[in-house]
Amino acid sequence: QKEVEQDPGPLSVPEGAIVSLNCTYSNSAFQYFMWYRQYSRKGPELLMYTYSSGNKEDGRFTAQVDKSSKYISLFIRDSQPSDSATYLCAMSASGGATNKLIFGTGTLLAVQP
Amino acid sequence: KAGVTQTPRYLIKTRGQQVTLSCSPISGHRSVSWYQQTPGQGLQFLFEYFSETQRNKGNFPGRFSGRQFSNSRSEMNVSTLELGDSALYLCASGLGLRGTEAFFGQGTRLTVV
């Protein structure tokens, strides 16, 4: 079993929809949780960075962490065609110290105009 | 502020050869970590360097090695290339402290023929 599980999709939604992306994990040592966005043939771009349980909002993006359920989510409001990309969740026990991130396989999102 | 720079962007090598990839981190960042991204395995951690010392290492064979220079620039070397080494190699830089983020470069796409 992988440490981090993520539905690979693809997920197709109409423009303006609310998108929900999720990951589950098995390692209770994870304390730092990230979401990256990766466009085709580009490097991952950091979207959200959270510590422990709770919610964090940044513009149209909201990240949620539920450590008791070992479950994290990313919500995208008012989705745009430019949001079409692969979304990767990543986790770490030590945060920036050693920067060993464990990634999900990524969810491919397509936002249709 | 310039981002993480990886060179070259593309490489084609023959089985059995060796290859060196380069990464220049964001100015002020002392941590550089390397990842391999393949369609089958996703993003996997190779190793991380902080102030010229390897702090952490993933589960890759000894053919994969790296180093970091005093200006924080890092190189990764793969010897005796195999077809399975074909991948996108990503470098991430950060402050290297607990609770700080990692920022990725655009990657080097290595093809082994």
Side-chain angles (χ1 to χ4, degrees), chain B:
Chain B
K1 203 173 191 181
V4 180
T5 303
Q6 291 188 245
T7 56
R9 289 293 311 278
Y10 302 93
L11 265 179
I12 299 176
K13 290 286 188 179
T14 304
R15 267 182 304 174
Q17 286 187 313
Q18 75 164 10
V19 67
T20 299
L21 312 181
S22 179
C23 174
S24 293
I26 293 170
S27 177
H29 285 183
R30 294 162 65 189
S31 167
V32 174
S33 48
W34 288 89
Y35 291 80
Q36 181 194 66
Q37 186 175 29
T38 59
Q41 299 297 319
L43 269 148
Q44 294 185 286
F45 175 80
L46 281 155
F47 33 66
E48 187 249 5
Y49 286 86
F50 181 82
S51 293
E52 303 179 65
T53 301
Q54 187 181 89
R55 284 199 299 192
N56 207 340
K57 190 176 187 304
N59 296 324
F60 279 81
R63 300 186 296 107
F64 292 82
S65 63
R67 59 178 176 169
Q68 186 180 35
F69 303 95
S70 58
N71 61 358
S72 294
R73 190 178 70 85
S74 177
E75 287 183 348
M76 190 191 92
N77 184 273
V78 188
S79 62
T80 320
L81 284 166
E82 301 176 359
L83 294 178
D85 296 333
S86 295
L88 181 67
Y89 289 89
L90 291 157
C91 156
S93 87
L95 292 172
L97 307 173
R98 180 174 285 272
T100 58
E101 304 97 327
F103 300 92
F104 283 85
Q106 300 285 42
T108 294
R109 184 163 297 280
L110 171 66
T111 302
V112 182
V113 297

Side-chain angles (χ1 to χ4, degrees), chain A residues 32-69:
Chain A
Y32 299 88
F33 305 90
M34 289 133 271
W35 286 95
Y36 286 87
R37 175 174 63 193
Q38 187 174 25
Y39 292 112
S40 181
R41 299 191 177 279
K42 300 288 187 183
E45 171 194 7
L46 181 64
L47 286 176
M48 302 289 280
Y49 184 96
T50 54
Y51 170 71
S52 196
S53 286
N55 294 359
K56 183 175 182 179
E57 187 174 322
D58 185 0
R60 297 184 295 112
F61 299 92
T62 300
Q64 288 185 351
V65 175
D66 182 348
K67 289 189 69 180
S68 62
S69 302

Side-chain angles (χ1 to χ4, degrees), chain A residues 64-92:
Chain A
Q64 288 185 351
V65 175
D66 182 348
K67 289 189 69 180
S68 62
S69 302
K70 297 189 177 65
Y71 188 88
I72 72 170
S73 301
L74 178 71
F75 297 95
I76 307 174
R77 290 183 300 281
D78 188 25
S79 55
Q80 303 295 310
S82 59
D83 294 327
S84 298
T86 296
Y87 288 80
L88 298 150
C89 63
M91 308 180 187
S92 168

